[in-house]
Amino acid sequence: GAVVSQHPSWVICKSGTSVKIECRSLDFQATTMFWYRQFPKQSLMLMATSNEGSKATYEQGVEKDKFLINHASLTLSTLTVTSAHPEDSSFYICSARDTLAGDTDTQYFGPGTRLTVL
Amino acid sequence: GQNIDQPTEMTATEGAIVQINCTYQTSGFNGLFWYQQHAGEAPTFLSYNVLDGLEEKGRFSSFLSRSKGYSYLLLKELQMKDSASYLCAALNSNYQLIWGAGTKLIIKP
């Protein structure tokens, strides 16, 4: 089955530093990947749609200069939280669509990255 | 290994009841989530179970049996708008989410 990994699983950083989170599709190619943020027991909030080889599309209210997304290959997208602050502490989840699959709606989700900013 | 199993697709009739099953194997367990996802939209939170038993929220109920590694989502009085994918996800001991592939629910009039 399609597997999506994220690295790191959890990270603690100081306020003002930048943190990079990787999202990889392990056994399929993903032209499109999604980055979500989740607060406890709440719905996933879509932050941005990452398209391989082009600029990401950010949802309203998400600062593109703060949450930098790079989708340089068909199996890797990265989210960099720049100048992180305690309010950025959250669970970040990525998902990916299998480019070659017939079902274009199915997303495969990563295990999430827990970010704590001190 | 860790994995979640749920049916790929189910079909039900408007007004009826449907039960979507989910079995899980994880390294440790810190709860099980159910999400609803309409095509092109972000998943929306439906339920979170960490203790055994049934939790009811309106037309939707979720059940968990930790000893059996089993959960189900029960949808009553089905409406056409309930047509969506339903995702089961378990939180392991490292607080990582292990996701099922989703069950596509098709509601027919």
Side-chain angles (χ1 to χ4, degrees), chain A:
Chain A
V3 178
V4 174
S5 71
Q6 284 184 237
H7 178 80
S9 300
W10 58 270
V11 57
I12 301 173
C13 69
K14 291 183 180 179
S15 186
T17 60
S18 295
V19 174
K20 180 188 281 188
I21 303 170
E22 294 184 349
C23 176
R24 291 181 187 273
S25 55
L26 296 186
D27 49 3
F28 65 99
Q29 293 181 338
T31 305
T32 304
M33 291 184 172
F34 303 89
W35 286 98
Y36 296 91
R37 186 171 175 175
Q38 183 187 30
F39 294 99
K41 297 186 190 179
Q42 293 186 25
S43 300
L44 275 63
M45 183 194 81
L46 180 63
M47 298 174 66
T49 301
S50 169
N51 298 295
E52 187 267 335
S54 64
K55 290 183 179 179
T57 305
Y58 289 82
E59 297 299 303
Q60 193 172 8
V62 178
E63 299 175 59
K64 61 181 181 181
D65 293 331
K66 180 169 181 61
F67 298 99
L68 300 178
I69 292 173
N70 185 285
H71 193 158
S73 78
L74 286 172
T75 59
L76 174 65
S77 175
T78 60
L79 168 69
T80 301
V81 182
T82 62
S83 187
H85 291 285
E87 57 264 30
D88 298 324
S89 298
S90 189
F91 200 35
Y92 292 87
I93 299 170
C94 75
S95 70
R97 277 198 190 136
D98 186 341
T99 303
L100 300 179
D103 180 0
T104 57
D105 288 337
T106 300
Q107 294 177 30
Y108 300 98
F109 288 84
T113 296
R114 190 168 298 276
L115 171 64
T116 301
V117 184
L118 302 177

